[in-house]
Amino acid sequence: VINKFLDKYLTNGQQCQIINLGAGFDTLYFNLLDKNRLPFKYVEIDFQRIVMSKIRLIKSKKVLLDKLCQQVKDETQTN
């Protein structure tokens, strides 16, 4: 259901934002990044200990950290 919704709003050029409440270890951001389909804004919200665990996990996985760093670099260059 979520993927159908995302397909509808991320493929027709509409500016949208995703706010992922209780994101946990959801990989949606990286899946969308891999498909070059990131929305205008993407925000994940969760409890601090979950967010800190996810940050540690991303930092420990070079492929994830590189993707995130490249995205930040790309956004900085376009703004």
Side-chain angles (χ1 to χ4, degrees):
V1 173
I2 292 173
N3 285 331
K4 287 182 182 182
F5 179 81
L6 292 174
D7 287 342
K8 179 178 180 179
Y9 288 98
L10 293 177
T11 56
N12 64 9
Q14 292 187 42
Q15 276 196 345
C16 69
Q17 51 189 336
I18 294 174
I19 300 172
N20 191 345
L21 299 174
F25 291 92
D26 191 342
T27 59
L28 179 60
Y29 174 85
F30 290 103
N31 293 336
L32 293 174
L33 179 62
D34 286 344
K35 295 176 185 176
N36 197 29
R37 295 178 57 208
L38 283 178
F40 178 69
K41 293 275 186 194
Y42 188 97
V43 178
E44 290 190 354
I45 299 172
D46 211 322
F47 294 114
Q48 182 177 355
R49 69 179 173 80
I50 301 296
V51 172
M52 297 307 294
S53 293
K54 191 169 185 176
I55 290 170
R56 280 192 298 278
L57 178 67
I58 290 169
K59 285 182 173 181
S60 74
K61 305 294 182 190
K62 185 175 180 345
V63 67
L64 296 178
L65 186 59
D66 288 348
K67 286 181 183 192
L68 193 56
C69 290
Q70 184 60 49
Q71 182 61 28
V72 170
K73 183 179 175 184
D74 292 348
E75 287 178 7
T76 304
Q77 291 176 349
T78 59
N79 291 332

